Amino acid sequence: MEANNSGCCVRPWFLFLLAVLKLCFIASLADAETHYHEFVVRETPVKRLCRTHNIITVNGQFPGPTLAVRNGDKLVIKATNRARYNVTLHWHGIRQLRTPWADGPEYVTQCPIKPGATYTYRFTIENQEGTLWWHAHSRWVRATVYGAIVIFPKFGSSYPFPKPNVEVPVILGEWWNRNIFDVMRQALFTGAGPNISDAYTINGQPGDLYRCSSKGTTKISVKSGDRVLLRVINAALNQQLFFSVANHKLTVVEADAAYLKPFTSRVIMVGPGQTTNVLLTADQPPARYYMAASAYATAQNAPFDNTTTTAILEYQNSRSGSSSSPVLPQLPAFNDTATVTAFTSQMRSIPSNAKVPTKIDHSLFFTVGLGFVNCAPGPRCQGPNNTRFAASMNNVSFVLPRRTSLLQAAYQNIPGVFTTDFPPVPPVKFDYTGNVSRALWQPRFGTKLYKLKFDSNVQIVLQDTAIFSTEDHPIHLHGYHFFVVGQGFGNFNPQTDTSKFNLVDPPVRNTIDVPVGGWAVIRFVADNPGVWLFHCHIDSHLTWGLAMSFLVENGKGELQSIEPPPADLPTC
C-alpha cells in the first residue's frame, strides 16, 4: 500500500515489516533492546478528497511511523517540533512506571514543545504486549499526528492464540478538508459543537466510497489459508466506529494490549483511544473484500459524519485485473447500541497473575457528561438555547494550568497551580439519566486533583448523564490499566448492581466506553506514582473540560520515587 503522491509518500507496511525483521535480528542478540527514533513534527502537503492542504505529520508520514518493539524494550524518542503549533506526544496505554515525565499530555506531565524546540521521551515497556498507539496530546494536533505501537512478546515467548501469517495495523481516523485548528477555534469561539469531519480513513486513506480517493485506497494482500492479525486502532478525534470485513468472521483476541478469551464476531466497535486485535482466516473464495468502518453515534440530535471508509482485503490468487467491485460488509445502524452491548459483554480476560482488587480503599463515583454555560445571546453563544457547551466530571469542568505542568507543580511543591479537593462523589445526587434540573446544567470550573494513596485499591463508578443528551463516553486513564468489573444502563444502583460484578475474569482496558445512558465500574491498584490525566477521549469533550487528574504519591506522601525531571523538559 502506498499513499498518493501528495508530498506524503510512504510505504507503512514495508516499514513495519522492516521493523519486525530488525526485531527478530536484535532478539537473537539480547533479551531487551533500546530503540532510538527521531520524530520530526512538521507540516506536510497531503491530497485527500480532491484537495491538497498542509497537515501536521511526524517525519512526513500520515499515519506516522509504527513503533515495533518487544515486551521489556526501552524507547528513546527525540521529538523536534518544526511545525507552527505547540505539540506534545503521548504513548497511549504505556504505563510509564517511574517515568511520568514521558507520558505527554500538555500541562499535565509536561509543558508543550514549542516550535523549534526538542524534547526526548525515554521509557520502558514493562509487562505489556499487544497493540497500543501514540498520538499528539496538545490541542487537536492528534487529528493527523498518530501511529501504531506494536509490542511483541519477549523472545522465546509466544501469543496465547494461533500464530498469524500476516500482521497489519489498521488505524481508523477522521479527515477534515479544513485546517483542524480552524475547526477547533471556530468551536471555541462560538461555544457550539465542532464541524463534523468530511471523511473517515483507514491507514490515512478514505477509500473507494469518497470522491478522488480510489487510487489511494489501502489494500492488504493475503493468500488463501492465511491467518491474519488485524491490529485495529481508533485514532478518530471525536467518533466511535464500527468495523467489519465482508464475508469474514473476526476472532477477538486482545483489547488495549490485554489478551482476551477468544470469541468471534462479524463486527466490532472501537471507541476513540481503544485498540482491538482480531484474527481473520482467509478462507473465502479468492476475491477482493472490503473492510469498512462507520460511525456509532449515540448523542440525540447531534450531527455526525455518516459516511463509510473502506480498505480492501485482496487475495493474491484472485483473478488478476478483476474489475468487479469488492464485496461490502453490512455495518450496523449508527445507533445500534444492542450490537455494541452484545460485543462488549463477551469480553473476558485470560488467566494472569493480576488479581481483581476486592478490598476497596477509595470508592469513587464520577458523573460524566456535557453541560452548558449561560451567556448573553450573540456570536459567542451559539450552543443550545443561546449557551456555550461545557463538560465535566462531578460537575467540575477541568481547567489546565498554563504557567507550569501539574506534575512539575506537584514534584517541586509549587503553590497555587492546583487544589486536591476534587469531589469523590457528585456534589448533588439527581436522576442522572432522566430529566435533569436546569440548576445542574452549569458546571464549576477548576484545576482540581484527587489524591490516591500509593498501593491503594480504587473503584470508580462512571455514570453517564442526560443534561444535554445521554451519550457513550470513551474514558481513558493515563499511567494505568484497569479491570472493567461491570457495565449497565440507567442509574447505577449499588444495592442491586454490585452483585453482578465480574470479579473472576473481567477485561483489562485503558479506555472504557461508558454505555449511553448507563454506567461502567472499573478497579485498579494505585501502584504508579505521578499525576495522571483521566479524561474523555473525544477531543471536543476534553476541550470543554470532561477530565480530572489523580495525584498518586509514594508511601511517604511525596513524588521523589519517580525519576527526576529530564534536563530538556520543556518550560511553559
Side-chain angles (χ1 to χ4, degrees):
M1 187 209 81
E2 185 174 348
N4 62 26
N5 55 353
S6 58
C8 187
C9 184
V10 294
R11 303 176 189 270
W13 309 139
F14 175 71
L15 295 175
F16 175 63
L17 288 173
L18 280 180
V20 173
L21 290 172
K22 178 184 176 184
L23 275 177
C24 293
F25 173 73
I26 289 171
S28 66
L29 302 178
D31 290 334
E33 175 69 9
T34 300
H35 301 263
Y36 296 89
H37 296 273
E38 291 201 9
F39 276 19
V40 179
V41 180
R42 59 183 174 90
E43 291 192 18
T44 303
V46 171
K47 184 176 183 180
R48 298 291 186 274
L49 307 183
C50 314
R51 300 181 182 181
T52 299
H53 70 87
N54 286 342
I55 64 171
I56 308 300
T57 66
V58 167
N59 298 347
Q61 300 177 31
F62 175 60
T66 294
L67 298 177
V69 297
R70 290 191 181 275
N71 183 9
D73 286 355
K74 295 181 179 180
L75 289 108
V76 178
I77 301 168
K78 180 182 177 182
T80 300
N81 185 6
R82 292 183 183 163
R84 51 183 166 142
Y85 309 106
N86 290 343
V87 72
T88 65
L89 297 176
H90 170 55
W91 321 96
H92 187 111
I94 300 295
R95 291 216 52 201
Q96 300 292 357
L97 294 166
R98 299 171 303 283
T99 55
W101 306 107
D103 191 44
E106 68 172 352
Y107 300 113
V108 178
T109 61
Q110 67 169 95
C111 295
I113 307 169
K114 298 173 183 176
T118 295
Y119 178 50
T120 301
Y121 294 89
R122 296 175 174 87
F123 55 91
T124 301
I125 310 296
E126 297 190 44
N127 298 316
Q128 291 186 272
E129 297 176 9
T131 302
L132 296 172
W133 64 302
W134 60 267
H135 60 82
H137 212 302
S138 182
R139 310 293 272 181
W140 290 12
V141 184
R142 82 167 181 89
T144 54
V145 176
Y146 58 78
I149 302 176
V150 176
I151 308 173
F152 295 101
K154 291 182 178 180
F155 187 64
S157 300
S158 60
Y159 298 131
F161 49 81
K163 184 178 180 180
N165 307 91
V166 179
E167 301 187 28
V168 182
V170 176
I171 310 180
L172 312 178
E174 284 183 278
W175 176 265
W176 278 263
N177 280 330
R178 293 179 62 198
N179 181 311
I180 193 62
F181 279 85
D182 292 339
V183 175
M184 180 190 71
R185 291 188 187 109
Q186 180 180 354
L188 290 175
F189 177 83
T190 64
N195 288 344
I196 62 172
S197 55
D198 295 289
Y200 300 117
T201 59
I202 296 178
N203 294 339
Q205 294 290 346
D208 291 354
L209 305 185
Y210 298 90
R211 64 188 186 279
C212 305
S213 299
S214 59
K215 288 184 179 180
T217 297
T218 297
K219 295 180 176 66
I220 297 172
S221 179
V222 298
K223 295 180 291 187
S224 291
D226 274 349
R227 186 182 294 114
V228 183
L229 182 65
L230 301 179
R231 299 176 177 269
V232 184
I233 300 166
N234 186 349
L237 204 64
N238 294 322
Q239 191 61 63
Q240 294 86 343
L241 292 166
F242 288 114
F243 175 83
S244 184
V245 182
N247 293 9
H248 290 76
K249 290 182 180 179
L250 305 176
T251 300
V252 181
V253 294
E254 179 226 302
D256 289 358
Y259 294 123
L260 297 169
K261 294 176 180 176
F263 66 93
T264 59
S265 181
R266 288 287 183 182
V267 63
I268 64 174
M269 195 286 288
V270 192
Q274 293 183 326
T275 68
T276 303
N277 280 9
V278 296
L279 282 174
L280 171 155
T281 301
D283 57 2
Q284 295 300 299
R288 300 160 75 228
Y289 299 87
Y290 276 131
M291 52 181 66
S294 63
Y296 170 52
T298 56
Q300 295 182 10
N301 302 316
F304 67 96
D305 182 348
N306 198 20
T307 62
T308 301
T309 180
T310 58
I312 297 174
L313 185 75
E314 189 169 48
Y315 283 63
Q316 291 180 13
N317 47 348
S318 60
R319 283 189 303 158
S320 177
S322 174
S323 60
S324 61
S325 297
V327 181
L328 190 67
Q330 183 174 354
L331 290 164
F334 72 88
N335 57 355
D336 190 349
T337 296
T339 291
V340 174
T341 305
F343 169 66
T344 57
S345 64
Q346 296 182 78
M347 291 188 173
R348 298 286 188 273
S349 62
I350 66 171
S352 71
N353 294 327
K355 302 300 180 184
V356 183
T358 54
K359 181 183 177 182
I360 302 302
D361 301 303
H362 295 273
S363 184
L364 309 176
F365 188 108
F366 291 178
T367 55
V368 296
L370 303 188
F372 306 107
V373 176
N374 296 319
C375 55
R380 295 187 64 85
C381 294
Q382 296 184 37
N385 302 313
N386 296 314
T387 62
R388 294 179 60 83
F389 269 118
S392 67
M393 289 185 175
N394 279 356
N395 204 43
V396 178
S397 188
F398 192 63
V399 178
L400 290 169
R402 285 295 185 267
R403 61 188 178 97
T404 189
S405 72
L406 295 174
L407 181 59
Q408 286 172 287
Y411 188 85
Q412 299 170 359
N413 295 312
I414 302 173
V417 177
F418 62 83
T419 60
T420 55
D421 57 346
F422 185 88
V425 296
V428 177
K429 292 184 178 181
F430 58 97
D431 181 5
Y432 307 114
T433 56
N435 293 320
V436 182
S437 167
R438 279 181 173 265
L440 299 172
W441 286 12
Q442 181 160 318
R444 297 173 296 155
F445 294 84
T447 309
K448 298 178 181 289
L449 278 59
Y450 187 87
K451 273 190 175 184
L452 293 175
K453 183 180 178 182
F454 177 74
D455 227 20
S456 60
N457 294 330
V458 184
Q459 174 178 289
I460 308 175
V461 177
L462 294 164
Q463 174 69 61
D464 185 27
T465 61
I467 293 174
F468 167 64
S469 168
T470 55
E471 184 174 0
D472 178 295
H473 292 280
I475 306 296
H476 173 51
L477 176 58
H478 288 233
Y480 287 89
H481 45 222
F482 47 75
F483 296 98
V484 182
V485 298
Q487 289 180 277
F489 293 98
N491 297 335
F492 176 75
N493 185 329
Q495 281 71 44
T496 58
D497 292 327
T498 303
S499 62
K500 303 172 188 176
F501 285 176
N502 176 7
L503 303 179
V504 178
D505 57 357
V508 176
R509 307 296 304 249
N510 63 56
T511 306
I512 176 62
D513 267 275
V514 179
V516 52
W519 51 268
V521 181
I522 66 173
R523 290 184 180 184
F524 61 95
V525 179
D527 59 357
N528 192 11
V531 177
W532 304 108
L533 187 62
F534 189 45
H535 68 98
C536 183
H537 218 275
I538 294 174
D539 270 35
S540 58
H541 295 183
L542 174 59
T543 301
W544 291 332
L546 215 172
M548 57 84 64
S549 288
F550 288 109
L551 171 58
V552 183
E553 297 176 321
N554 66 8
K556 299 179 181 179
E558 58 188 24
L559 284 176
Q560 304 309 311
S561 60
I562 67 174
E563 294 182 359
D568 62 343
L569 187 70
T571 57
C572 292

